[in-house]
Amino acid sequence: MVAFWLGNSGHYKPLMLGFGGASVLLTMILAYRLDIIDREGAPYVRLPQLMKYYPWLAVEVVKSNWVVIRACLRADLDITPTLAKIKTTCKTDLARVTFANSITMTPGTVTVEIEGDKLLVHGLYESGTEPEGFIEMDKRCAAACDPKEGRV
């Protein structure tokens, strides 16, 4: 953020740079003392894992779009709306919310509720809301968002 501010502001005088450096240092000291820097609050350490997860999710969204488009264009509406409980292996709130949002972003499914390690999912098709269909997404989401053993 410092580089972004420097690039956009154009203030390179020693006094302004000194004030900027002092404010960054003070912010870092306060954040450390308040213990507010963690893996969920600053998920930058997960960026490599997320960069693998989001392209995979984009492909899943496109595949689900085709299913929903075919359902909409058919003369007879053959949908079978259903609710299903999906158990997740995600450990942190961030991972659970990312998993729930990934389900909702996928056309034809909506996460209605998160309760502990279970998600209530509504789907257009009964076959599309079977718990086995969400295992890969759950594993990939947990790998991208949950903390690893021994890493801070």
Side-chain angles (χ1 to χ4, degrees):
M1 291 192 63
V2 171
F4 181 74
W5 179 83
L6 268 175
N8 285 324
S9 72
H11 294 290
Y12 301 107
K13 298 199 176 187
L15 180 65
M16 290 302 286
L17 294 176
F19 284 150
S23 67
V24 167
L25 184 63
L26 179 64
T27 302
M28 289 173 56
I29 290 169
L30 289 174
Y32 176 76
R33 298 252 337 198
L34 292 170
D35 198 26
I36 58 174
I37 298 176
D38 61 357
R39 289 180 60 87
E40 286 192 30
Y44 307 113
V45 294
R46 288 192 195 91
L47 203 54
Q49 294 98 325
L50 289 172
M51 295 304 284
K52 288 188 252 176
Y53 176 68
Y54 286 124
W56 176 84
L57 179 62
V59 170
E60 294 301 308
V61 168
V62 169
K63 288 193 305 191
S64 295
N65 264 316
W66 286 112
V67 173
V68 173
I69 288 170
R70 278 197 315 252
C72 291
L73 294 178
R74 288 189 178 161
D76 59 331
L77 199 58
D78 66 340
I79 62 172
T80 53
T82 188
L83 286 170
K85 285 264 187 187
I86 309 296
K87 187 170 171 46
T88 180
T89 60
C90 296
K91 307 255 184 285
T92 62
D93 289 340
L94 177 66
R96 287 186 195 117
V97 168
T98 302
F99 181 47
N101 286 341
S102 298
I103 291 171
T104 300
M105 283 177 55
T106 308
T109 55
V110 175
T111 303
V112 179
E113 179 181 69
I114 302 175
E115 191 174 305
D117 65 345
K118 293 186 177 59
L119 286 75
L120 182 62
V121 176
H122 176 273
L124 285 180
Y125 293 99
E126 190 172 352
S127 62
T129 54
E130 292 174 356
E132 298 81 32
F134 294 99
I135 290 173
E136 184 177 3
M137 183 183 285
D138 180 45
K139 279 197 254 184
R140 287 177 179 261
C141 191
C145 296
D146 276 339
K148 303 290 184 221
E149 288 293 321
R151 287 180 55 181
V152 178

